[in-house]
Structure formats: structure tokens, C-alpha cells
Amino acid sequence: MAGPKNEKPRKATILALGKAFPHQLVMQEFLVDGYFKNTNCDDPLLKQKLTRLCKTTTVKTRYVVMSEEILSKYPELATEGLPTVKQRLDICNSAVTQMAIEASQSCIKNWGRSISDITHLVYVSSSEVRLPGGDLYLAKGLGLSPETQRVMLYFSGCSGGVAGLRVAKDIAENNPGSRVLLATSETTIIGYKPPSAERPYDLVGAALFGDGAGAMIIGINPIPGSENPLFELHTSIQHFLPETEKIIDGPRELPQIIEDNIEGFCSKLMKNSGFCEKDYNKLFWAVHPGGPAILNRIEKKFELSPEKLIASRRALADYGNVSSNTIVYVLEYMLEESKKKASKEENDDEWGLVLAFGPGITFEGILARNLTI
């Protein structure tokens, strides 16, 4: 007699996406003058360096929590050497919760089902520290049931969005009927400092990173007529590179290290998928845009055609590197690009890789299938 154990396992599916941002929009061409004015810095060499960095990052616009109102209330944030941990956390904890609530509400609206149907919550952030964690405040802010099962991922950095998606996938596939809300939320206020020649990496952060939140709904067995599946999630893996714990503090080596190790990682991800190493241009590439150098190295390593990383480059230009959230924006742009190709009756890639790189150095990857084409 056939039983449930003989049924073919179903794969988790992304059922909806959502995003949210703070109200402050920063145009890249105005960032340098504003940053140096707000921090009362008049070092011409540092200003020249940041101006160059702002051009090389390819970022055009970003959203940030930081504002003149916040600096007026907390002037110590722009002063070198003053203790400001409590002030920063007061701002960050409130800001990331609000953005996560708004991104989740947008995602739930796009999903089209009741918030009461959410059974699990996975919350990702590297921008807050508190106990209880932000997962509880998000659940409370959304009005989730007290029975909602929560998981909190702290300090996964830029790989956090894909790490959260891997965790949500495992939860969904092992809890039939579940619907998992994955939310990510980040702000740069936690590391906001005046420019200093002793901290050159701070200028990279000022030129590259932005604030915002993202959300996804994940589950198996989409309900026809009620849910619109977007991406089916297949193999998911994580790998860290030994003895690279400090590399994220000095970003010059990061693109080269990723280039040196990414092919082996992708080969493991594609194993048993039916694809071979020569099929890289037959896949879509949803890559976290840690910066243009990382995208350029990946494009070169796999000899990808330029359109393969359009979604990643668009997300970087429009929002900057928003840490764990950015993969949500990349996937949204991926769907937009698919619609454009469909309207032109051009073929699109059904299968692809979702990739991100974070502290560790940690690689996160998921082999996925675009269900909208």
C-alpha cells in the first residue's frame, strides 16, 4: 500500500516578494558634499578619494535612515571618539523594525492571502542588537499569531538574505502546509562615522551601502488560483573559506578571493542538476551585488554575456549594496527582465543560480527555477 513516504518530495517555492525603504533618498552626485558638511570634515584629500569611489561603485541612488533631523538630535554621531553605541542602537532597532514591517506588509499584499496563514517567521539583520530580538518585535508589529514559529539570523552580513532563504526553504519542505515569511532589514547608521584617513574602508562604505528591507513568502504546493509561484528552490549549499575571517574588513582582496573560489562552489551547486560547466550562459544569475568589482570578476570567470548580470547591476545602481536585503531587489529585477524578454518573444533562462557572499568568507547558493516563463 502506497503511503506519504512514497510521494515525490516537493520543492519550496517563492510565492511573493516585497520591499520597503526609509524616506531619505540620496543622489550619489550630492553625497560627498553632504557627508563632509554633516561631519564637519574639510580634508580635501579624503573628499577627492570619496568622490572617486562614488563614481567607481556605479551606484546612482540610495535610501538611508540617516537625516539632518537625526544628526541634530544626536550630534555626537558625527563627532570622532564619542561613545555612541546606545544612541545608534536606539535609532537602528526602531528603524529596522519599521522597515521590516513595511516590506512584510507589501509582500503579504502581493501574496494575496491572509496574514493568519503565515506559520513561520525567519528574520535577518546585521543592524540591530537587543534581547528579545527583532523577530519578536516584527511579529508583534505585524500582528502575527503568538504561535508563529520564529528564527532569528544575526550578523550574516551580505550573505544573510540567501542564508535566510535557505533556512526558510528547509522549514517549508519539512512542514507541509506551512507558509514562511522571510524578512530582512538593514541600516548603515550602526557604522556611521566621520571620514578618517586611519579608516579608509569607511569611505568605501559611505560610497556603496544603503538602507532598506526585503521580504519573501516561501512554501510548497502553491494553491492554484490563490498563489502565484515565482521561483522554485532546489539545491542549497553554504561554504566558508578557512582563515578568511578578517578579509571582509579589508575589501581589496575580496573580489579576487571570490573569483578564485566561485567556480568550485557553483560546480557543487549544479551537481546532479543535469548542467555541465559549459552551460553557464544557459542559466540566469541572481548575484548579490557586493560591488562592481565582484560582479565584473564573476562575469569574467564564467565568460558570461553582459545581460546575465543586468538584474544585479540594476539593483546596485538603484539601491546600493543593502546587505542581506539586496537579493530581494535582484530577484524582482530578474522577473522584470523576464517579462521584457517575453514581450519581445525572446527566450529566457528557466534555471539559474542565486548567490551571495558574506563574512567568513561565506558563500551561499541556491539552484532555482524561474516559474514565470
Side-chain angles (χ1 to χ4, degrees):
M1 178 179 176
K5 63 181 180 180
N6 295 321
E7 295 178 0
K8 185 178 180 181
R10 299 297 299 268
K11 296 297 182 182
T13 304
I14 298 175
L15 301 169
L17 299 168
K19 62 182 184 293
F21 301 97
H23 299 301
Q24 186 88 352
L25 176 65
V26 177
M27 308 294 291
Q28 193 79 335
E29 61 262 37
F30 301 128
L31 178 134
V32 177
D33 288 339
Y35 178 49
F36 276 74
K37 176 185 175 183
N38 290 336
T39 56
N40 300 308
C41 180
D42 58 1
D43 188 320
L45 294 179
L46 287 176
K47 196 169 186 179
Q48 290 175 10
K49 184 171 183 178
L50 181 57
T51 300
R52 290 195 302 270
L53 285 169
C54 283
K55 293 178 180 179
T56 59
T57 60
T58 71
V59 176
K60 295 180 180 179
T61 55
R62 281 176 290 168
Y63 292 88
V64 296
V65 172
M66 180 59 78
S67 65
E68 291 185 359
E69 290 78 11
I70 289 176
L71 284 174
S72 177
K73 184 177 180 180
Y74 301 98
E76 60 270 30
L77 297 181
T79 304
E80 188 72 44
L82 292 182
T84 56
V85 173
K86 182 182 184 303
Q87 297 94 313
R88 291 174 192 275
L89 290 178
D90 286 345
I91 301 167
C92 292
N93 290 344
S94 174
V96 294
T97 298
Q98 185 58 39
M99 290 189 293
I101 289 172
E102 293 175 7
S104 298
Q105 289 172 336
S106 172
C107 184
I108 292 166
K109 181 179 179 180
N110 293 335
W111 178 39
R113 290 180 59 183
S114 170
I115 194 171
S116 63
D117 292 331
I118 294 173
T119 59
H120 296 73
L121 172 65
V122 177
Y123 177 56
V124 180
S125 182
S126 297
S127 303
E128 61 158 272
V129 180
R130 52 183 158 174
L131 189 68
D135 56 321
L136 181 65
Y137 293 99
L138 175 56
K140 179 182 177 181
L142 288 172
L144 294 180
S145 164
E147 279 73 44
T148 303
Q149 299 180 49
R150 311 184 319 273
V151 175
M152 175 82 217
L153 299 183
Y154 268 152
F155 302 117
S156 297
C158 292
S159 61
V162 182
L165 188 55
R166 170 174 51 79
V167 171
K169 163 182 158 58
D170 289 347
I171 292 173
E173 291 176 351
N174 285 283
N175 294 272
S178 63
R179 288 297 179 263
V180 185
L181 171 62
L182 166 64
T184 65
S185 192
E186 308 285 2
T187 176
T188 52
I189 281 186
I190 200 74
Y192 184 89
K193 298 175 183 176
S196 170
E198 297 178 357
R199 298 189 307 273
Y201 184 44
D202 285 1
L203 295 181
V204 177
L208 182 64
F209 288 94
D211 300 352
M216 307 185 207
I217 299 288
I218 298 97
I220 64 171
N221 301 327
I223 301 173
S226 178
E227 295 176 315
N228 298 305
L230 304 175
F231 294 95
E232 191 174 68
L233 308 175
H234 286 254
T235 307
S236 63
I237 61 173
Q238 180 193 71
H239 179 77
F240 77 91
L241 304 177
E243 308 303 326
T244 61
E245 293 88 347
K246 297 295 183 180
I247 295 297
I248 211 75
D249 296 332
R252 289 188 177 183
E253 306 100 315
L254 187 58
Q256 183 63 58
I257 291 174
I258 290 174
E259 180 182 356
D260 291 343
N261 292 274
I262 187 63
E263 188 169 13
F265 180 77
C266 289
S267 295
K268 291 180 181 178
L269 193 54
M270 295 165 61
K271 187 178 180 181
N272 301 324
S273 68
F275 291 100
C276 66
E277 294 179 1
K278 296 182 179 180
D279 290 334
Y280 292 127
N281 271 296
K282 296 179 181 179
L283 301 169
F284 69 75
W285 290 75
V287 181
H288 167 79
I294 292 174
L295 297 179
N296 293 342
R297 294 293 185 106
I298 290 175
E299 186 175 274
K300 174 187 173 183
K301 183 69 175 181
F302 295 109
E303 299 180 348
L304 300 178
S305 53
E307 70 271 13
K308 290 296 178 182
L309 295 178
I310 284 180
S312 295
R313 295 190 190 278
R314 285 183 64 190
L316 181 62
D318 291 347
Y319 307 117
N321 179 345
V322 200
S323 193
S324 65
N325 312 317
T326 323
I327 198 64
V328 178
Y329 316 149
V330 172
L331 290 174
E332 277 199 336
Y333 280 143
M334 188 73 62
L335 294 175
E336 281 190 21
E337 295 298 327
S338 292
K339 288 181 180 178
K340 289 180 184 178
K341 290 184 178 181
S343 66
K344 297 178 183 178
E345 298 185 350
E346 297 177 356
N347 292 328
D348 200 8
D349 302 309
E350 181 181 7
W351 290 86
L353 304 179
V354 182
L355 302 171
F357 319 100
I361 294 171
T362 300
F363 285 34
E364 291 278 356
I366 299 176
L367 176 68
R369 184 162 70 103
N370 186 343
L371 300 176
T372 68
I373 61 174

